[in-house]
Amino acid sequence: AQSPGYIQKVNLHGEKKPISGTYQVTDKNQFSGEFKIDLPDFGVKRPSFMGVKVVDKVTIEFKFRAD
């Protein structure tokens, strides 16, 4: 079932800030989810490659399985 969401503090680049996201239990011992971070909020310069920059807000997706 899809969760209504969560709020957790993340420490990135020396900045500790709350983030929110969602997760879903996909199996008895597996869940996945995602959260978004705004890079400038954490003091991270946007990476670029050949003049093309990454957007400020990035989505992190994760999946965990407990054996």
mmCIF file of all heavy atoms in Angstrom, residues 1-6 21-26 31-34 62:
data_model
loop_
_atom_site.group_PDB
_atom_site.id
_atom_site.type_symbol
_atom_site.label_atom_id
_atom_site.label_comp_id
_atom_site.label_asym_id
_atom_site.label_seq_id
_atom_site.Cartn_x
_atom_site.Cartn_y
_atom_site.Cartn_z
ATOM 1 N N ALA A 1 0.838 -1.192 0.000
ATOM 2 C CA ALA A 1 0.000 0.000 0.000
ATOM 3 C C ALA A 1 0.872 1.241 0.000
ATOM 4 O O ALA A 1 1.906 1.269 0.644
ATOM 5 C CB ALA A 1 -0.912 0.007 1.208
ATOM 6 N N GLN A 2 0.474 2.261 -0.707
ATOM 7 C CA GLN A 2 1.218 3.518 -0.776
ATOM 8 C C GLN A 2 1.103 4.253 0.553
ATOM 9 O O GLN A 2 0.024 4.353 1.111
ATOM 10 C CB GLN A 2 0.661 4.397 -1.903
ATOM 11 C CG GLN A 2 1.402 5.689 -2.125
ATOM 12 C CD GLN A 2 2.700 5.505 -2.881
ATOM 13 O OE1 GLN A 2 2.887 4.514 -3.564
ATOM 14 N NE2 GLN A 2 3.602 6.436 -2.758
ATOM 15 N N SER A 3 2.199 4.717 1.057
ATOM 16 C CA SER A 3 2.170 5.450 2.312
ATOM 17 C C SER A 3 1.708 6.878 2.069
ATOM 18 O O SER A 3 1.851 7.398 0.974
ATOM 19 C CB SER A 3 3.565 5.474 2.943
ATOM 20 O OG SER A 3 4.371 6.445 2.315
ATOM 21 N N PRO A 4 1.182 7.523 3.101
ATOM 22 C CA PRO A 4 0.836 8.934 2.947
ATOM 23 C C PRO A 4 2.081 9.809 2.887
ATOM 24 O O PRO A 4 2.015 10.959 2.508
ATOM 25 C CB PRO A 4 -0.001 9.236 4.178
ATOM 26 C CG PRO A 4 0.405 8.205 5.171
ATOM 27 C CD PRO A 4 0.804 6.995 4.378
ATOM 28 N N GLY A 5 3.217 9.258 3.248
ATOM 29 C CA GLY A 5 4.475 9.994 3.191
ATOM 30 C C GLY A 5 5.223 9.938 4.492
ATOM 31 O O GLY A 5 4.756 9.380 5.481
ATOM 32 N N TYR A 6 6.416 10.476 4.481
ATOM 33 C CA TYR A 6 7.250 10.518 5.675
ATOM 34 C C TYR A 6 8.087 11.781 5.624
ATOM 35 O O TYR A 6 8.252 12.400 4.577
ATOM 36 C CB TYR A 6 8.151 9.279 5.766
ATOM 37 C CG TYR A 6 9.142 9.169 4.621
ATOM 38 C CD1 TYR A 6 10.390 9.775 4.711
ATOM 39 C CD2 TYR A 6 8.820 8.513 3.453
ATOM 40 C CE1 TYR A 6 11.287 9.701 3.675
ATOM 41 C CE2 TYR A 6 9.709 8.425 2.411
ATOM 42 C CZ TYR A 6 10.945 9.017 2.522
ATOM 43 O OH TYR A 6 11.836 8.954 1.484
ATOM 44 N N GLY A 21 9.002 12.318 1.560
ATOM 45 C CA GLY A 21 8.898 11.422 0.429
ATOM 46 C C GLY A 21 7.791 10.419 0.648
ATOM 47 O O GLY A 21 7.023 10.514 1.608
ATOM 48 N N THR A 22 7.734 9.464 -0.251
ATOM 49 C CA THR A 22 6.741 8.400 -0.154
ATOM 50 C C THR A 22 7.449 7.060 -0.287
ATOM 51 O O THR A 22 8.549 6.976 -0.822
ATOM 52 C CB THR A 22 5.680 8.510 -1.255
ATOM 53 O OG1 THR A 22 6.309 8.433 -2.527
ATOM 54 C CG2 THR A 22 4.898 9.809 -1.140
ATOM 55 N N TYR A 23 6.802 6.022 0.211
ATOM 56 C CA TYR A 23 7.321 4.677 0.021
ATOM 57 C C TYR A 23 6.159 3.723 -0.169
ATOM 58 O O TYR A 23 5.017 4.039 0.133
ATOM 59 C CB TYR A 23 8.205 4.239 1.187
ATOM 60 C CG TYR A 23 7.443 4.005 2.471
ATOM 61 C CD1 TYR A 23 6.958 2.744 2.790
ATOM 62 C CD2 TYR A 23 7.208 5.046 3.358
ATOM 63 C CE1 TYR A 23 6.256 2.534 3.969
ATOM 64 C CE2 TYR A 23 6.515 4.841 4.529
ATOM 65 C CZ TYR A 23 6.035 3.574 4.829
ATOM 66 O OH TYR A 23 5.349 3.374 5.983
ATOM 67 N N GLN A 24 6.478 2.557 -0.695
ATOM 68 C CA GLN A 24 5.473 1.540 -0.955
ATOM 69 C C GLN A 24 6.055 0.194 -0.561
ATOM 70 O O GLN A 24 7.195 -0.124 -0.928
ATOM 71 C CB GLN A 24 5.111 1.550 -2.437
ATOM 72 C CG GLN A 24 4.074 0.543 -2.818
ATOM 73 C CD GLN A 24 3.709 0.659 -4.298
ATOM 74 O OE1 GLN A 24 4.374 1.334 -5.066
ATOM 75 N NE2 GLN A 24 2.661 -0.009 -4.683
ATOM 76 N N VAL A 25 5.292 -0.584 0.177
ATOM 77 C CA VAL A 25 5.683 -1.949 0.498
ATOM 78 C C VAL A 25 5.308 -2.799 -0.703
ATOM 79 O O VAL A 25 4.134 -2.885 -1.066
ATOM 80 C CB VAL A 25 4.983 -2.453 1.778
ATOM 81 C CG1 VAL A 25 5.363 -3.894 2.062
ATOM 82 C CG2 VAL A 25 5.322 -1.567 2.961
ATOM 83 N N THR A 26 6.323 -3.392 -1.344
ATOM 84 C CA THR A 26 6.075 -4.124 -2.582
ATOM 85 C C THR A 26 6.018 -5.629 -2.372
ATOM 86 O O THR A 26 5.549 -6.348 -3.233
ATOM 87 C CB THR A 26 7.160 -3.800 -3.628
ATOM 88 O OG1 THR A 26 8.441 -4.078 -3.069
ATOM 89 C CG2 THR A 26 7.096 -2.340 -4.028
ATOM 90 N N PHE A 31 10.637 -2.914 0.055
ATOM 91 C CA PHE A 31 9.901 -1.670 -0.144
ATOM 92 C C PHE A 31 10.714 -0.725 -1.005
ATOM 93 O O PHE A 31 11.925 -0.858 -1.132
ATOM 94 C CB PHE A 31 9.475 -1.024 1.180
ATOM 95 C CG PHE A 31 10.590 -0.518 2.039
ATOM 96 C CD1 PHE A 31 10.935 0.819 2.004
ATOM 97 C CD2 PHE A 31 11.270 -1.355 2.903
ATOM 98 C CE1 PHE A 31 11.950 1.314 2.793
ATOM 99 C CE2 PHE A 31 12.291 -0.867 3.709
ATOM 100 C CZ PHE A 31 12.628 0.465 3.653
ATOM 101 N N SER A 32 10.023 0.201 -1.629
ATOM 102 C CA SER A 32 10.681 1.166 -2.496
ATOM 103 C C SER A 32 10.032 2.525 -2.272
ATOM 104 O O SER A 32 8.951 2.626 -1.702
ATOM 105 C CB SER A 32 10.558 0.743 -3.959
ATOM 106 O OG SER A 32 9.194 0.681 -4.330
ATOM 107 N N GLY A 33 10.703 3.561 -2.727
ATOM 108 C CA GLY A 33 10.154 4.894 -2.567
ATOM 109 C C GLY A 33 11.003 5.935 -3.254
ATOM 110 O O GLY A 33 11.926 5.616 -3.998
ATOM 111 N N GLU A 34 10.674 7.180 -2.960
ATOM 112 C CA GLU A 34 11.420 8.282 -3.553
ATOM 113 C C GLU A 34 11.266 9.535 -2.706
ATOM 114 O O GLU A 34 10.340 9.650 -1.903
ATOM 115 C CB GLU A 34 10.954 8.569 -4.978
ATOM 116 C CG GLU A 34 9.576 9.166 -5.084
ATOM 117 C CD GLU A 34 9.217 9.499 -6.528
ATOM 118 O OE1 GLU A 34 9.602 8.751 -7.441
ATOM 119 O OE2 GLU A 34 8.539 10.511 -6.725
ATOM 120 N N PHE A 62 14.691 4.774 -4.353
ATOM 121 C CA PHE A 62 15.383 3.711 -3.631
ATOM 122 C C PHE A 62 14.522 2.453 -3.552
ATOM 123 O O PHE A 62 13.307 2.507 -3.713
ATOM 124 C CB PHE A 62 15.781 4.179 -2.227
ATOM 125 C CG PHE A 62 14.621 4.597 -1.364
ATOM 126 C CD1 PHE A 62 13.934 3.669 -0.609
ATOM 127 C CD2 PHE A 62 14.217 5.924 -1.322
ATOM 128 C CE1 PHE A 62 12.857 4.057 0.188
ATOM 129 C CE2 PHE A 62 13.156 6.329 -0.541
ATOM 130 C CZ PHE A 62 12.470 5.384 0.217
#
